[in-house]
Amino acid sequence: MVESTIIIQIILWGLVIGSIYSLLATGLNVIFGVMKIVNFAHGEIMIMGAYISFWFWSILNLNPYIAIIFSMLSLMMIGIVIERFGFRLIRNTSKLNEIFLSLGLIFIIQNGLGLAATPIRPVKIISPVQGMSLSLGIIDLPYDFMIIFLVAIGIMIVLYGFLFYTKIGKSLRAVSQNRVAAMLVGINASKVDMITFGIGSSLAAVAGSLFGMLNTFDPYTGTIPAIKAFAIIILGGLGSIPGALIGSIAYGVTESLGTFILGGAWRDAIAFALLIVVLIIRPKGLFGEGKV
Amino acid sequence: MIKLINGFKSNFFKLGLIMLVFIIIFPFILPDQYVLYVLTTIFILSINAMSWNLLASSGQASLGHAAFFGLGAYGSILLANNFSLSPWFTIFLGPLIPAIMGLGVGLLVVRLREWFLAMVTFGFAVIVQTIIANPLSWLTNGWNGLRASSLIVLTPNLRFIVIYFIVLVAMLSVYFIIHKTFNSKFGLAITAIRDNELAANVSGISLIKYKLLVFIVSSYIAGFAGALEVHTISTFISPEIFSPLNSFWPLIFSISGGIGTTFGPILGTFLIRTFWEILREIGGFESMIIIGFILVLIVIFLPKGLLPILKKVINPQRS
């Protein structure tokens, strides 16, 4: 029964990587829902989060899981700055400008990180329970997998509570449903935009920090995961948070199995093939009502 | 003629002529290999930027132009190497491969807009790179790459000057073709589509026909630029040619010059690439950060690029 053990391990890996993608995709999705923009530099923001955790861990010897909190706070600030001095200034101009602005951000962040992390080498955050696992008979379940999964679920629950039970969260949803009407009832839409971008970026920071515990990364690692997150929110439906969650898990498992069957060189191409297929068959996504 | 000189674009036209004469006599004044190499690269990159800009003029901003650029180059090299054809022939034949691919991608994305199109084209470049490097490695030699035959065989010093002129003629021809295209019914149709798809459609413009046509033409020209590049400057190719950076450069050049204009991409390529050559001295990361900031500032403060400023300087009485 070696085969089935391997398959279970692959699915397990898919679930864990899927839960990381879900954080990344949800960040992108929240920003899209409220501001109707797609931040192409989301992957670079994620890697910036990973590096901040890495530095807190490697320089200050902080527990990596606690370093994530600092990473989240830093990226929230950076996200707010990017919104205030970047995306807000091109609001209501051509849609293409958002793509171009994000590209500029990619250049700045990638090379800024490159400068800060010279000499560039792939790094990894080593968690305190690295290599330890819970034996469950036929398979071994690493503790890191469980913690990552729980952190991702926990953050999703907190986000859900924030969006549905706090005043700011409700105003976020109001702006996302109808910007003009929300402004008419006295919601400061610009402030909501800033908060949204901050939240989206801090979600990316968590995703990056967790990603950095499972994989090695360098300043250029972020682009591909961001595209995968984009594929996921299209798969799950633009603006739909449960859709993004289910899409991420489904995608993580597909990627894991696909890579096992086709070989590692195909891992990134699988993401795009899936994206293209979904866009052709069902451009609204599996759960969404968004307009393409 | 008098009307032309005194007319609308008089100063602009004169300046263009002076620049052209200067570019033609330049290699004889300063036959420096490095400077000629940089200028030749700029000419080729301008062709690529013009092709990107043509596509963007129809509202379709591709983030995977490196795929067409690279496929043209691979097409030309493979035809030249495997069928012993002259590169003079294959630089026109090879780009038919990206043109066909462009038709395919165009069909995929014809209903998509902005972000979705950008993602699909970006993904297309990644898929093409994977396919060229792995399953097709028996043909393409994978990541080790292939040697390309040179367009002309001469002593190095003379070769640089001759290549300079070949590429210059190619750039001017593409400029002329795109200039004609923009002022034709085709050009008016694609700008109408960019400005308002619905309005264009109800005025009887076939969206699908024009969007696909512009995709084919743009990918052919990009492929031509790629084929020209590998047979003149680099004489070598590897799947590195499909890297995202190669997709982003034409975009940066076009935006800085002036998106949707004919001369903008050339102006942008000249300014940004020259600036980048100088910047490279201070270090790779620093120069790319500066390029990133330039892009951000241009998008925010000069969405029409630098061309309107140039026009204002040259023709102060008109605007």
Side-chain angles (χ1 to χ4, degrees), chain A residues 71-85:
Chain A
S71 175
M72 273 180 87
L73 292 174
S74 321
L75 261 292
M76 186 171 273
M77 294 300 153
I78 293 170
I80 287 172
V81 170
I82 292 176
E83 197 283 326
R84 180 62 189 82
F85 298 102

Side-chain angles (χ1 to χ4, degrees), chain B residues 31 68 89-90 106 143 155 164 171 183 234 258 280 302:
Chain B
F68 305 121
F89 186 53
T90 59
W143 285 100
T155 57
Y164 175 90
M171 183 191 81
N183 294 319
S234 54
R280 275 211 290 203
L302 292 171

Side-chain angles (χ1 to χ4, degrees), chain A residues 170-188:
Chain A
K170 284 177 184 169
S171 55
L172 241 77
R173 289 195 299 133
V175 174
S176 132
Q177 282 162 10
N178 190 329
R179 194 177 187 88
V180 177
M183 284 160 85
L184 280 174
V185 297
I187 294 170
N188 184 346

Side-chain angles (χ1 to χ4, degrees), chain A residues 38 40 100 111 230 272 280, chain B residues 108 115 119-120 123 255 285 288:
Chain A
V38 182
F40 196 43
F100 306 152
N111 293 288
F230 189 80
F272 291 111
I280 295 163
Chain B
L108 281 181
W115 277 106
M119 288 289 169
V120 171
I255 294 166
F285 294 130
M288 292 308 265

Side-chain angles (χ1 to χ4, degrees), chain A residues 230-232 234-236 251 254 269-286 292, chain B residues 107-109 112 116 119-121 123-124 127:
Chain A
F230 189 80
I232 287 164
I234 298 197
L235 188 69
Y251 177 76
T254 313
I270 293 169
F272 291 111
L274 192 74
L275 172 67
I276 292 170
V277 168
V278 173
L279 277 174
I280 295 163
I281 298 173
R282 193 174 155 78
K284 285 176 181 173
L286 301 177
V292 174
Chain B
L107 276 171
L108 281 181
V109 300
L112 307 178
F116 305 88
M119 288 289 169
V120 171
T121 47
F124 175 69
I127 293 174

Side-chain angles (χ1 to χ4, degrees), chain B residues 115-194:
Chain B
W115 277 106
F116 305 88
L117 193 147
M119 288 289 169
V120 171
T121 47
F122 185 90
F124 175 69
V126 172
I127 293 174
V128 166
Q129 186 180 48
T130 311
I131 291 176
I132 292 277
N134 297 295
L136 286 183
S137 58
W138 54 274
L139 184 67
T140 61
N141 201 16
W143 285 100
N144 296 324
L146 287 171
R147 297 220 128 264
S149 46
S150 178
L151 213 49
I152 43 152
V153 184
L154 288 166
T155 57
N157 269 329
L158 198 59
R159 184 173 174 272
F160 265 97
I161 295 179
V162 175
I163 278 176
Y164 175 90
F165 282 107
I166 293 171
V167 176
L168 177 63
V169 168
M171 183 191 81
L172 291 175
S173 317
V174 171
Y175 173 77
F176 190 71
I177 291 167
I178 288 185
H179 182 73
K180 283 279 171 212
T181 309
F182 269 126
N183 294 319
S184 69
K185 191 181 159 221
F186 179 69
L188 294 175
I190 60 172
T191 38
I193 290 172
R194 178 196 58 195

